[in-house]
Amino acid sequence: MQRATPSFEHRIYPAHKIAALVGVLVDKGVPAAEVLAGSGLAESRLNAAATRVSYRQMLTVCRNAMRLSPDPAVALQAGQRMHVTAYGMYGYALLSSPTHADSVDFAVKHHRVMGPAADMSVRQSDDEVIFSYRPVLAPDPTNAFYRFVTEFQLSSHLTITTDLYGAAFRFSQVRLSYPAPPHAPAYRKVFKCPVHFGQPVDELRFNSDWLAEPMPFADPITNAMAREMCEKSLAEVDQAGGIAAEIRRILVGQPGRFPGIEAMAEALRLNPRTLRRKLDAEETSYRSILADVRMRLAIGYLRETRMTNEEIASRLGYSDAANFRHALSRWTRKNPSDFRASHTGENLP
């Protein structure tokens, strides 16, 4: 149900998303240095091939952009800058795929090499291809940052897909879990399809007939080379998570069984003092990791299952529903009903 959050601190991702946000803000008259404030990044390094960034740096820049932008649709606009050539070997692998179905499979399997704003999965109905999203670092759909990240991801997806299918490409519909924001008309302008707010999921859909379109740049040699490089990059991302990411993987993999730090240290073949020292070096703690995992699982259970509060409390290791409600309020300042009843069904035709 939940995939472990990737490395938050390791600088292993290209800087193209940050560069797109900075570019949009600069065009609006906001100095690049202000958008990058607190990230440790210099504008002169954003377009350097060797520059790598962390999710913490992305988070910092996104929050700066939300605060500084005079236009609330800035994330949608930044996504429009994310053309297929901005994705390096990942983009070339997509362009050179033998079929569109191959490019979809590759995109889903390898998208984490690019430090995505949201994890994605895909399924196909009789007549539609359906991409579902879960923002990587923003689990709460009632939070403005969740909306910002989702806007960036879906707009980016439209841009790269239009590059692959041609200018006539359109989504058939977009479904979003949050209420319509004040700048909702900008969605219609960008996506040119019905947009449904207050839905149980975040997803985009397009007609599956597009998969039958020819790939004008299909090339088996280029595709094999690009795929090989992306496989190596994916392995590096999976291995670069650090001890915090390893702990998250263990906790997410066994919901309901949350060991103390001593038991976790034993599972990792470390003594507790060494584990604490390693977590300190990654600027986190076992307590904060455990709280974050519980919060993400709780929101997922509330949004995606019919489990009662008592059942969720038990699954998360709380003695009763009241303690679970107190914890959720502490994490999100919201009640369970806020997540269960967030689907208002607002539509933008």
Side-chain angles (χ1 to χ4, degrees):
M1 180 175 166
Q2 287 276 348
R3 182 174 181 176
T5 305
S7 170
F8 195 56
E9 304 295 343
H10 286 72
R11 299 186 182 189
I12 53 179
Y13 304 109
H16 59 299
K17 291 181 175 64
I18 290 177
L21 278 169
V22 170
V24 171
L25 268 294
V26 167
D27 286 349
K28 296 180 183 299
V30 180
E34 293 186 22
V35 187
L36 295 170
S39 70
L41 291 166
E43 181 183 10
S44 61
R45 297 295 302 165
L46 285 184
N47 295 313
T51 299
R52 291 293 181 269
V53 301
S54 68
Y55 269 116
R56 183 178 293 279
Q57 290 172 306
M58 293 185 204
L59 176 61
T60 298
V61 174
C62 286
R63 292 201 181 282
N64 287 345
M66 290 177 66
R67 175 174 51 85
L68 294 168
S69 177
D71 186 342
V74 62
L76 292 170
Q77 296 159 9
Q80 292 178 303
R81 295 185 175 221
M82 299 301 299
H83 290 282
V84 66
T85 51
Y87 292 82
M89 283 298 162
Y90 178 85
Y92 285 110
L94 295 176
L95 277 172
S96 60
S97 293
T99 68
H100 283 297
D102 288 320
S103 73
V104 167
D105 290 341
F106 176 85
V108 173
K109 181 180 178 182
H110 295 83
H111 72 287
R112 277 217 167 187
V113 304
M114 304 308 296
D119 268 332
M120 66 181 180
S121 59
V122 67
R123 68 187 190 277
Q124 191 169 347
S125 67
D126 291 339
D127 58 356
E128 286 185 313
V129 178
I130 305 165
F131 280 87
S132 299
Y133 294 90
R134 185 189 297 275
V136 173
L137 298 176
D140 181 357
T142 66
N143 188 284
F145 185 65
Y146 184 105
R147 187 194 68 230
F148 182 93
V149 169
T150 302
E151 288 176 347
F152 189 101
Q153 183 69 35
L154 268 65
S155 179
S156 298
H157 195 140
L158 176 61
T159 301
I160 195 172
T161 310
T162 303
D163 288 345
L164 292 172
Y165 291 92
F169 176 82
R170 295 288 186 274
F171 293 151
S172 57
Q173 59 178 299
V174 173
R175 295 174 176 267
L176 299 164
S177 60
Y178 47 84
H183 60 284
Y187 285 68
R188 184 67 180 86
K189 182 177 180 181
V190 170
F191 297 118
K192 298 181 174 65
C193 72
V195 179
H196 308 285
F197 295 94
Q199 302 299 304
V201 293
D202 296 290
E203 64 183 27
L204 61 82
R205 300 181 175 212
F206 61 86
N207 193 296
S208 56
D209 289 346
W210 284 104
L211 294 182
E213 292 294 311
M215 295 287 289
F217 302 107
D219 185 281
I221 296 176
T222 299
N223 189 250
M225 292 175 59
R227 281 175 174 264
E228 181 180 358
M229 294 186 71
C230 287
E231 288 285 355
K232 292 179 179 178
S233 296
L234 185 61
E236 292 172 1
V237 168
D238 288 341
Q239 294 170 7
I243 198 69
E246 180 62 24
I247 290 172
R248 289 178 185 274
R249 279 192 285 269
I250 292 173
L251 294 174
V252 170
Q254 53 181 34
R257 301 193 302 274
F258 299 118
I261 191 169
E262 290 78 11
M264 179 60 72
E266 182 177 354
L268 294 169
R269 298 183 179 181
L270 298 169
N271 66 56
R273 181 177 298 178
T274 300
L275 178 55
R276 288 190 178 92
R277 186 169 64 248
K278 286 178 175 288
L279 291 172
D280 285 344
E282 295 183 19
E283 299 183 22
T284 189
S285 68
Y286 185 70
R287 182 176 181 178
S288 64
I289 294 170
L290 179 56
D292 184 68
V293 169
R294 276 175 156 168
M295 177 185 69
R296 289 172 182 274
L297 289 171
I299 292 173
Y301 293 144
L302 290 167
R303 292 183 64 201
E304 301 168 17
T305 78
R306 295 175 180 244
M307 293 170 63
T308 66
N309 291 346
E310 289 75 15
E311 289 171 330
I312 296 173
S314 177
R315 184 70 66 91
L316 297 180
Y318 291 100
S319 58
D320 54 40
N323 282 329
F324 162 60
R325 288 194 297 270
H326 289 321
L328 186 70
S329 177
R330 186 171 65 252
W331 297 328
T332 67
R333 298 183 181 178
K334 297 179 178 69
N335 297 312
S337 58
D338 294 324
F339 296 97
R340 296 191 193 275
S342 62
H343 313 312
T344 58
E346 300 161 275
N347 297 333
L348 188 64

